Amino acid sequence: MSATLDLSIDLISRASVTPEDKGCQQVLADRLSATGFTIEHLRFGDTDNIWARRGTQSPVLAFAGHTDVVPTGPEENWTSPPFEPEIRDGLLYGRGTADMKGSIAAFVTACERFIVEHDAHEGSIAFLITSDEEGPATGGTIKVIETLEARGEKIDWCIVGEPTSTEKVGDIVKNGRRGSMNGYLTVQGKQGHIAYPQLAANPIHLLTPALTELCDIEWDQGNEDFPPTSFQVSNLNSGTGVTNVIPGTAELIFNFRYSTEVTHEQLQQRVVSILDKHDFNYDLKWNLSGKPFRTASGALVDAVKSSIKAVTGYNTELSTSGGTSDGRFIAPTGSQVIELGPLNNTIHQIDECVSVADLDTLSDIYEAILNSLLA
């Protein structure tokens, strides 16, 4: 039983489904304050956040993460209860083990060991922890960043503990993310009897040619840092539930994961031009979740790569693939942001788990990064 495993088990045993924190952040605050961190509890709406900082000087190295987890799904489908952590065959099972309470525990223990050796370290160490990453993300990291920006407090380097690894811990590091934008489209038709289509206007039929065109477009070819922009439909709803009524409306929700080859404004303009070309009545609303960002080679990326090599013996790969993270709120401030965490092969799944050994390896990597940047 290592310190990292102990803390992971404590956090995982708390059923902190978004936006609940269930006392996780107080556990972290108590541990961090004992090593000299100043703790700020910041609550926005129903979301708990903490900003913890040790030191007053620059540069600031921040560890960012979330104590909230996604719902468990049917608990009877779990091999063991999702909020009763259990170790089987070297794996720690429970909701949030990989995404991302294990990373947070590794953050804390890495800092505790580092501070023992470097009580008068350079710069500052900080923690930005939220309970609203897996949900709408409106009262969490984005609000903490707004608070810090308003008082001129900057993060120079940020490590987000998202589960980025694929085959072995540290093999993949995210040094950027694609942009994400959702579209909410309602097509207006005219409801009528299905036997008299000439007296109605079927919105599904109106939409289909335009949707086919949207699905077939090559939006861009990506670049050396980002894969090509992706258009995907996530929801398509219409109909009254009976077989003899032509519906009056059709509702479509779609998402762009986009590269730096195109802006969200350009995507919006192109979608509107296609819809207008097909000449039907519609309403379209947009929600921009985050713009693409990339952290180039520099102090943080170099420290991360060398630390993974020193601890594990192998080289890491930089990637910008995958979903979004709270890094999208931190990078626009000018911070260098990378994401580094455990294996992601069970995240959001039944029987989510993480290797016990990987937790300690991850903590060692975080400690090596601290030594590289602030010792």
Side-chain angles (χ1 to χ4, degrees):
M1 295 291 286
S2 69
T4 306
L5 178 59
D6 284 343
L7 181 53
S8 297
I9 289 173
D10 189 354
L11 297 174
I12 295 159
S13 66
R14 300 168 186 270
S16 56
V17 177
T18 311
E20 296 294 328
D21 172 68
K22 295 296 186 180
C24 291
Q25 292 179 19
Q26 189 58 54
V27 170
L28 301 175
D30 291 343
R31 291 283 289 256
L32 294 171
S33 62
T35 56
F37 282 81
T38 299
I39 312 295
E40 287 184 73
H41 293 273
L42 301 168
R43 186 172 176 86
F44 301 101
D46 59 2
T47 302
D48 289 308
N49 309 279
I50 57 173
W51 171 251
R53 180 165 174 170
R54 189 182 199 273
T56 59
Q57 303 299 313
S58 295
V60 178
L61 170 60
F63 294 95
H66 58 91
T67 52
D68 62 312
V69 298
V70 297
T72 63
E75 293 197 17
E76 62 272 19
N77 291 344
W78 287 68
T79 306
S80 54
F83 296 112
E84 296 178 18
E86 183 174 297
I87 299 172
R88 300 191 301 273
D89 299 323
L91 299 174
L92 175 64
Y93 287 83
R95 175 58 86 224
T97 50
D99 191 12
M100 56 175 285
K101 292 179 176 179
S103 296
I104 292 175
F107 285 163
V108 172
T109 56
C111 288
E112 289 173 339
R113 295 193 306 274
F114 175 76
I115 289 167
V116 168
E117 298 296 327
H118 305 283
D119 181 64
H121 56 77
E122 300 292 325
S124 301
I125 309 171
F127 278 71
L128 195 171
I129 307 295
T130 184
S131 66
D132 182 35
E133 194 273 348
E134 298 288 8
T138 55
T141 299
I142 188 171
K143 289 295 187 182
V144 178
I145 289 297
E146 288 175 0
T147 301
L148 298 178
E149 287 285 288
R151 65 194 191 198
E153 195 167 357
K154 291 287 188 180
I155 296 172
D156 296 281
W157 305 310
C158 184
I159 300 173
V160 184
E162 289 293 340
T164 59
S165 305
T166 57
E167 301 294 333
K168 48 191 178 182
V169 66
D171 61 351
I172 300 290
V173 167
K174 305 292 186 182
N175 67 321
R177 291 283 189 169
R178 293 175 294 175
S180 179
M181 180 172 64
N182 293 305
Y184 301 84
L185 174 68
T186 300
V187 177
Q188 305 292 341
K190 182 180 179 181
Q191 184 172 311
H193 196 294
I194 206 161
Y196 301 95
Q198 72 276 15
L199 302 178
N202 194 319
I204 301 173
H205 294 192
L206 295 172
L207 170 62
T208 298
L211 180 56
T212 299
E213 186 171 347
L214 291 169
C215 291
D216 288 343
I217 288 175
E218 181 182 70
W219 301 91
D220 60 52
Q221 296 182 337
N223 53 41
E224 63 179 6
D225 299 314
F226 291 90
T229 292
S230 168
F231 170 89
Q232 290 292 318
V233 173
S234 58
N235 289 269
L236 177 57
N237 299 296
S238 190
T240 63
V242 298
T243 61
N244 60 351
V245 176
I246 292 171
T249 61
E251 298 176 346
L252 180 77
I253 302 176
F254 58 90
N255 175 266
F256 282 104
R257 295 299 167 100
Y258 66 99
S259 75
T260 51
E261 291 295 301
V262 66
T263 67
H264 69 276
E265 293 95 347
Q266 290 171 329
L267 292 172
Q268 291 176 359
Q269 291 166 6
R270 195 166 181 188
V271 169
V272 168
S273 69
I274 290 169
L275 297 178
D276 288 347
K277 180 178 69 174
H278 288 273
D279 194 26
F280 52 76
N281 294 324
Y282 68 89
D283 177 69
L284 178 59
K285 295 181 174 61
W286 298 98
N287 177 52
L288 178 64
S289 300
K291 297 179 181 180
F293 71 90
R294 175 182 176 272
T295 297
S297 294
L300 180 60
V301 169
D302 293 346
V304 169
K305 291 168 67 175
S306 64
S307 296
I308 292 171
K309 178 72 171 180
V311 172
T312 68
Y314 49 77
N315 296 317
T316 192
E317 177 185 338
L318 301 179
S319 171
T320 60
S321 65
T324 59
S325 78
D326 275 1
R328 69 189 189 274
F329 303 127
I330 303 168
T333 68
S335 174
Q336 296 177 37
V337 179
I338 65 96
E339 300 170 29
L340 167 61
L343 270 63
N344 57 23
N345 57 324
T346 64
I347 59 174
H348 294 204
Q349 296 182 19
I350 300 294
D351 284 348
E352 179 182 350
C353 61
V354 68
S355 163
V356 172
D358 283 355
L359 291 174
D360 289 325
T361 300
L362 193 58
S363 183
D364 289 342
I365 293 171
Y366 293 149
E367 183 184 6
I369 295 169
L370 283 160
N371 275 298
S372 178
L373 294 173
L374 296 181

